Amino acid sequence: MASSSNPLKKLCYHVTGVEDERLNQHYQLAVDLLSQGTGHVLDDCNTVADMIKRHMVREKRLEDAARFEGLFNKIQQSSVLRNKASVLTVFLLLSKSKSNQNYENGLSNGHCGEDLMEHHITSPIDPEINFGGGSRVARLAAMYKDAGIAGKNQAQNYKRQALVTTPTTPTTPSLPTNRVCPPPDRLQGPLSPRKIKLSKDSLSEVTQDALIREILYIFQGIEGRLIKIDVSKDGFKIDPKIRLSCSQQQLILKLAEVGWLYNQIKKFCEAHGGSTTNYTGDRAASGLVNQSLVMALREDLTEYCRLIAVLEAQVHEGKDSPFGDERGGLTLRKLLLWTLEPRFRLQGMALLTHSAREVKGGATVSALYQHLHHGDPAHYTMVKHALSLACTPLFMMLTQWLLDGQLEDSYHEFFIAADPTVSDEKLWQDKYSLRYSMLPSFISAQQAHKVLATGKSLNFLRNVCQVRAPIAARETIKKALQQTTVESLFSQDENIQLDHLINLTFRETSRHVLDEILQQHKLVQHLRAMRRYLLLGQGDFIHYLMEVLEPVLCKPASNLLPHNLSSMLETAIAASNAQYEEPDILNRLDVRLLERSPGDTGWDVFSLDYRVDGPIGTVITSDCIRQYLMLFNALWRAKRMEWILSGTWKKQAATAKICRDLPEMNGILHSVQLLTNEMVHLIQQMAYYMTFEVLECSWHNLMTRLKSAQSLDDVIAAHEKFLKTILAGALLDAQSQVRALIC
C-alpha cells in the first residue's frame, strides 16, 4: 500500500488503517463523496462560506460558526491556498456527517452507515451543489447495503430521494390576454402536475436538477411547488421557503419570463382561435384575421414546444451520463443560453398579441404592420410571416370583390361595408361605403376609393343595368389576380403588383359602366331633354304650352285636373318641334301639380316633370329632380312675366292708336309705355343672363367633364356641379338666400 501513487488512496489508508478489499470500498466511497460537488462548482467562496455557516446555525453550533468566521477571514487573506471555493465545498460535504469523529468510527468499525444515510436523506439539499445523477446515488446506496452499513429500507429511500418525475409533453397553445414582456419581479410561471417528492425538512433547499425540471414546466405554463403564479401581479413568484442564492434567483426569474410570455401568447390564442367570447363579450367577434394570426402564432409555438422536448431529452442525457450534469446534462445557465433566441422571439410574438388584443380585421393588420419596420432581421421575418397569414382573409375578400363584386364579410373585417336594407335604386350612393376603421394603414385612401368603385361598378352592371355577362377584361383581371401575392398588400414600396391590379380592375370596370350608361341608356340625351323642357330651352314648345294653358291656369288651383293638363301638354308637343323627340323621352315628360295653399291659382302649382329610373336614376337622383323643379318654377314665373308684359305691350299699342286724337292722353300713354319697356327690358336681360351666362356655360362645362370622365363617380360629380352652378346663377342656392335675408 505504501507504494501506491494515488494520493487519495494513501489518505484513505492513513485515516482508516485498513487494507485490501475494505480499503477499496472506503476509497470508492471517498471518490463518490468528493464527486458530489462536481455537478456545479461554485466560483464564489463567500457563497460556500455562507452555506457552511447556515449549516452550523441549523445544528445550533453558534460558537463554531463564529470561529469559522475568523478562520475564513484568514483563508481569504492567504496567498498560498488556491481553489478556495473547492476546498470549502469539500468541508461542506464533510460537514453533512453528524461529526468527523462519527465518520471515522463509521469507516473503521462499519457502524455509522445507517446514521450517515439517515442524515443525507433528511438534511436540507443545497441548491448550489449538484449531488450527482440517479445512477451515482444508486451506487452509493448499493455499496452501503453490500458493506452492511445500511439496511434495505435506507438504501431504497436513498435511491428514491434522487428521483424526480419526468415532464409531460407540452400541449399546443391556443387562446389571449394582453401583456408583453413583464418586469423581472412580475414573472409568471408553471410546474409539473406530479409534484416533486420532498420531505418536510427539505423544503428549505432544493437540488439544481429539481429546479431545472420545474423550469421546464414553467416553460409550458404549468404552476409548480417552488415557483408559483402570482395572480395579483400577473407573474411568477418564487416560494420564500426555499433557499436560493441571488444568482440562482436572477437566473430563475429570467427563465420564468419565457413561461410568462408563453402564457400571454397562449391566452391570446385561446381567446381568438375560434368562435369564442372576446373581451367585449361578443361571441365569434374575433374574426378570420385574428384566427389567421393565431395560426401563425401556433406555428411558432410548435417550434418552441419542440425545443422543450429537446431540453427534456438533455435532462435525461444528463441523468444517464457517466460524467454528471456538468458534461451531459443541463444547468440553469445552459437553459438561459438555450432559451435566449426563443425568448426574443416570444417577446416579439407577445408584442403582436398586445397590439391585436382589442381589434380585429383591417385594424389588426394595421397594428401588426407597425411592427414590420424593425432593424432586427429575425423580428422582421417573424412579423412578416404573421402579417402574411393575417392578411390572407382580407386578400381573399379583396379578390372576390374586385373580380365578381361579391362581399363575404361575416365578421365585418373588410374595409368595404354593405347595407343589405338599401334597394338597388340607391345602390351606387348608399349601399356600399368605406369602413375607415378597418382600412389597413398600408392601403391609401385613393386605392380604397378605387377598390370601392370597382366592386360597385360590377354590382351596378349586374343588379341595375341587368347585364349578366362578365365584362370583356375579366380574364385579364383574373390573370393579374393570380400573379398578385398576399405580401404585395403590405410591401407596396418594393412590389407594385397590388397597385397595378387595383388600377387595372378600376379602369376596365369603369369603362364598361360608362359605355353602358352613356351609350346604351343615352344619359346625354336625357340630360339634353331636361335642359329643353325643364329649363325652358325649347322656346316654341314653351310658347305653345303657355298659350294652351293660360285659360286653365288662371282658375283656382283646386279646379285643375291632371289628366286635362296632360292632354294640353300633348297638344303643345304636337304643335312644336318637340314632336320629333324620341318616344322614350316624350313618355318621360309629364305634368306635376305642386302642393297648393289657399288662394293659389293654377300658375302657382303647375310644373313639368321628367321621370327617371334604372341606371339613369343613379345619375339623376330624386334630389337632382327637386333642384330641376326649383329651376323650372323660377324660370316659369319669369317666362309668365314676360308673357304678361308682352300682352300688356300689345294692349298699350292698341290703346295708343285709339287715343291718337286725344292730345291730353299722349303724355300719360308715353309714360306707361316707357315703364312697360323698362320692365320688358329687365325680363329680357334676366332671360339672356340665365340662358347664355348660366345655362350655356354650365352646359358646355358639363359636356367637357362627361367626355373626360373615367368612372361613374366622375359623371355624377359633373352633373351635381352643373346643377350647383345653375342654382347659384339663378340666386336659388342657400348662400344667395342668406344674402337676401341680410339685405
Side-chain angles (χ1 to χ4, degrees):
M1 180 60 227
S3 62
S4 175
S5 60
N6 192 322
L8 181 59
K9 185 170 288 189
K10 288 181 179 180
L11 180 61
C12 292
Y13 173 76
H14 178 75
V15 173
T16 62
V18 297
E19 296 183 0
D20 303 331
E21 186 65 28
R22 288 187 300 167
L23 178 60
N24 292 332
Q25 292 180 358
H26 293 308
Y27 170 73
Q28 185 63 37
L29 177 62
V31 171
D32 290 331
L33 180 63
L34 292 176
S35 64
Q36 292 177 6
T38 62
H40 183 70
V41 178
L42 297 176
D43 297 332
D44 188 5
C45 59
N46 292 318
T47 303
V48 183
D50 291 339
M51 295 168 58
I52 295 175
K53 286 186 287 185
R54 291 199 302 268
H55 181 72
M56 291 180 177
V57 171
R58 286 198 301 272
E59 294 185 348
K60 300 182 180 179
R61 298 164 54 192
L62 301 180
E63 295 180 359
D64 292 342
R67 183 184 175 193
F68 173 78
E69 180 69 23
L71 294 174
F72 176 67
N73 292 333
K74 292 181 179 180
I75 290 176
Q76 284 186 311
Q77 297 174 1
S78 174
S79 59
V80 178
L81 183 62
R82 294 180 299 176
N83 300 327
K84 300 176 184 178
S86 301
V87 173
L88 292 176
T89 302
V90 174
F91 290 159
L92 177 60
L93 293 174
L94 293 175
S95 68
K96 297 300 180 178
S97 303
K98 288 188 175 180
S99 65
N100 291 336
Q101 183 64 34
N102 290 339
Y103 178 71
E104 291 182 9
N105 293 337
L107 291 177
S108 60
N109 301 326
H111 295 301
C112 72
E114 181 176 350
D115 296 334
L116 181 61
M117 175 68 72
E118 180 181 358
H119 180 74
H120 275 291
I121 294 176
T122 59
S123 63
I125 302 173
D126 293 313
E128 292 85 359
I129 300 178
N130 188 336
F131 282 86
S135 59
R136 188 188 307 277
V137 179
R139 289 202 311 273
L140 282 172
M143 189 183 70
Y144 279 128
K145 179 179 179 181
D146 295 339
I149 299 175
K152 179 179 180 180
N153 294 334
Q154 284 83 354
Q156 293 177 350
N157 291 337
Y158 197 60
K159 293 166 72 174
R160 285 196 299 268
Q161 178 67 24
L163 298 179
V164 182
T165 56
T166 302
T168 58
T169 302
T171 57
T172 302
S174 78
L175 290 141
T177 50
N178 49 5
R179 294 185 60 89
V180 288
C181 305
D185 59 341
R186 298 187 61 185
L187 299 173
Q188 177 195 49
L191 175 51
S192 106
R194 292 156 52 180
K195 306 300 180 182
I196 298 176
K197 304 270 185 191
L198 293 176
S199 65
K200 189 174 182 180
D201 296 333
S202 63
L203 290 177
S204 58
E205 297 183 4
V206 65
T207 63
Q208 182 171 245
D209 284 343
L211 287 175
I212 290 175
R213 291 189 205 91
E214 183 139 331
I215 288 173
L216 288 179
Y217 285 103
I218 291 176
F219 289 167
Q220 304 171 62
I222 307 172
E223 186 182 34
R225 288 185 58 190
L226 307 180
I227 306 175
K228 300 180 180 296
I229 293 179
D230 189 352
V231 180
S232 61
K233 293 184 178 181
D234 186 21
F236 283 105
K237 63 180 180 180
I238 301 175
D239 191 344
K241 296 181 181 180
I242 64 174
R243 181 176 291 111
L244 296 172
S245 65
C246 294
S247 60
Q248 281 185 318
Q249 291 182 10
Q250 293 177 357
L251 286 175
I252 291 173
L253 291 178
K254 287 183 179 179
L255 292 170
E257 178 185 357
V258 178
W260 185 88
L261 293 171
Y262 175 84
N263 273 344
Q264 302 307 302
I265 300 169
K266 179 180 177 181
K267 291 177 182 177
F268 178 86
C269 293
E270 290 173 352
H272 297 277
S275 57
T276 57
T277 305
N278 72 337
Y279 296 97
T280 59
D282 299 330
R283 293 188 64 84
S286 60
L288 299 177
V289 173
N290 283 348
Q291 293 178 25
S292 300
L293 174 60
V294 168
M295 289 178 58
L297 296 176
R298 283 177 173 168
E299 289 181 4
D300 289 333
L301 289 179
T302 300
E303 296 297 326
Y304 170 77
C305 292
R306 290 194 182 100
L307 172 63
I308 301 300
V310 172
L311 295 178
E312 289 180 348
Q314 292 288 327
V315 171
H316 292 297
E317 287 180 9
K319 185 181 296 185
D320 299 333
S321 173
F323 302 104
D325 287 348
E326 183 178 7
R327 299 184 185 179
L330 287 176
T331 62
L332 294 177
R333 295 191 181 277
K334 285 184 179 180
L335 275 180
L336 189 62
L337 292 176
W338 271 95
T339 58
L340 185 61
E341 182 178 350
R343 182 168 70 250
F344 290 149
R345 193 171 185 87
L346 290 175
Q347 286 176 352
M349 295 165 63
L351 286 172
L352 298 184
T353 59
H354 179 77
S355 301
R357 68 190 188 280
E358 293 181 352
V359 293
K360 66 176 183 178
T364 295
V365 297
S366 296
L368 299 181
Y369 182 70
Q370 296 177 358
H371 298 276
L372 188 63
H373 304 287
H374 200 281
D376 185 2
H379 182 81
Y380 172 82
T381 302
M382 185 269 294
V383 176
K384 182 179 180 181
H385 175 66
L387 189 57
S388 297
L389 289 183
C391 288
T392 300
L394 294 180
F395 182 74
M396 298 302 297
M397 297 179 193
L398 179 64
T399 300
Q400 292 180 346
W401 177 256
L402 293 178
L403 190 61
D404 299 318
Q406 296 180 358
L407 187 61
E408 296 181 3
D409 186 16
S410 302
Y411 302 119
H412 307 292
E413 302 174 276
F414 197 45
F415 59 89
I416 304 295
D419 187 357
T421 62
V422 177
S423 62
D424 291 339
E425 296 178 357
K426 298 182 179 180
L427 181 146
W428 192 270
Q429 286 82 4
D430 301 331
K431 190 165 187 176
Y432 300 104
S433 61
L434 286 177
R435 187 184 287 122
Y436 287 97
S437 61
M438 294 298 167
L439 179 63
S441 56
F442 44 79
I443 295 180
S444 64
Q446 182 181 8
Q447 290 177 332
H449 283 288
K450 288 184 178 181
V451 171
L452 173 64
T454 300
K456 284 199 304 183
S457 298
L458 294 173
N459 285 280
F460 178 80
L461 291 171
R462 181 169 53 250
N463 299 327
V464 180
C465 299
Q466 303 299 318
V467 178
R468 303 299 180 184
I471 62 175
R474 189 178 189 277
E475 292 300 324
T476 304
I477 296 173
K478 188 175 181 180
K479 184 177 179 181
L481 283 170
Q482 293 174 351
Q483 297 176 352
T484 306
T485 60
V486 177
E487 289 77 8
S488 63
L489 288 176
F490 53 84
S491 60
Q492 297 189 49
D493 295 338
E494 305 172 357
N495 193 334
I496 62 172
Q497 289 180 348
L498 178 66
D499 189 65
H500 172 71
L501 172 65
I502 293 176
N503 291 332
L504 174 63
T505 54
F506 172 75
R507 182 174 61 254
E508 294 298 331
T509 55
S510 298
R511 183 181 60 81
H512 198 93
V513 169
L514 290 179
D515 291 344
E516 185 70 23
I517 198 169
L518 294 177
Q519 304 299 329
Q520 300 298 325
H521 294 276
K522 302 178 180 179
L523 174 64
V524 176
Q525 285 82 342
H526 289 288
L527 292 176
R528 186 175 287 109
M530 297 184 73
R531 180 200 173 198
R532 288 175 178 173
Y533 303 115
L534 296 186
L535 300 183
L536 310 186
Q538 189 74 22
D540 59 336
F541 166 76
I542 298 300
H543 176 78
Y544 282 113
L545 179 64
M546 190 166 289
E547 184 177 357
V548 172
L549 291 176
E550 182 180 14
V552 179
L553 295 182
C554 292
K555 298 179 181 179
S558 57
N559 296 337
L560 297 180
L561 297 176
H563 62 276
N564 291 338
L565 297 177
S566 298
S567 63
M568 294 179 182
L569 175 63
E570 293 176 358
T571 302
I573 292 174
S576 64
N577 288 329
Q579 60 181 316
Y580 302 109
E581 289 282 2
E582 294 184 3
D584 180 58
I585 293 177
L586 295 178
N587 291 335
R588 295 175 182 272
L589 190 61
D590 199 359
V591 173
R592 171 183 290 193
L593 294 179
L594 305 179
E595 184 178 356
R596 63 177 180 267
S597 300
D600 286 346
T601 63
W603 293 103
D604 299 319
V605 298
F606 175 81
S607 176
L608 289 179
D609 190 19
Y610 195 86
R611 295 191 302 271
V612 292
D613 54 12
I616 301 301
T618 301
V619 179
I620 308 174
T621 62
S622 58
D623 186 64
C624 294
I625 293 297
R626 182 184 60 82
Q627 297 180 45
Y628 273 110
L629 294 180
M630 290 176 57
L631 290 169
F632 174 81
N633 290 330
L635 296 174
W636 181 255
R637 288 188 175 91
K639 182 63 68 173
R640 183 195 174 197
M641 290 300 302
E642 183 181 358
W643 179 269
I644 293 174
L645 289 175
S646 176
T648 301
W649 181 84
K650 291 178 182 179
K651 292 179 180 180
Q652 288 178 353
T655 303
K657 290 181 180 180
I658 295 174
C659 298
R660 230 176 347 188
D661 297 334
L662 300 175
E664 61 274 10
M665 295 292 295
N666 291 337
I668 298 175
L669 292 175
H670 181 69
S671 299
V672 171
Q673 288 178 350
L674 290 177
L675 179 60
T676 302
N677 288 335
E678 290 180 0
M679 297 175 66
V680 170
H681 178 73
L682 174 63
I683 294 299
Q684 289 178 347
Q685 291 299 317
M686 291 181 60
Y688 173 83
Y689 164 75
M690 285 298 302
T691 302
F692 297 100
E693 298 294 337
V694 178
L695 289 177
E696 287 296 333
C697 294
S698 299
W699 179 259
H700 175 74
N701 294 334
L702 174 61
M703 293 296 103
T704 303
R705 291 190 179 98
L706 290 181
K707 291 179 181 179
S708 61
Q710 297 182 355
S711 66
L712 185 57
D713 283 324
D714 294 340
V715 173
I716 294 174
H719 182 245
E720 291 178 349
K721 178 68 175 178
F722 169 73
L723 287 177
K724 183 178 180 180
T725 303
I726 295 176
L727 286 173
L731 306 178
L732 296 176
D733 60 332
Q735 295 181 356
S736 299
Q737 294 178 3
V738 170
R739 293 193 191 99
L741 292 175
I742 294 176
C743 295

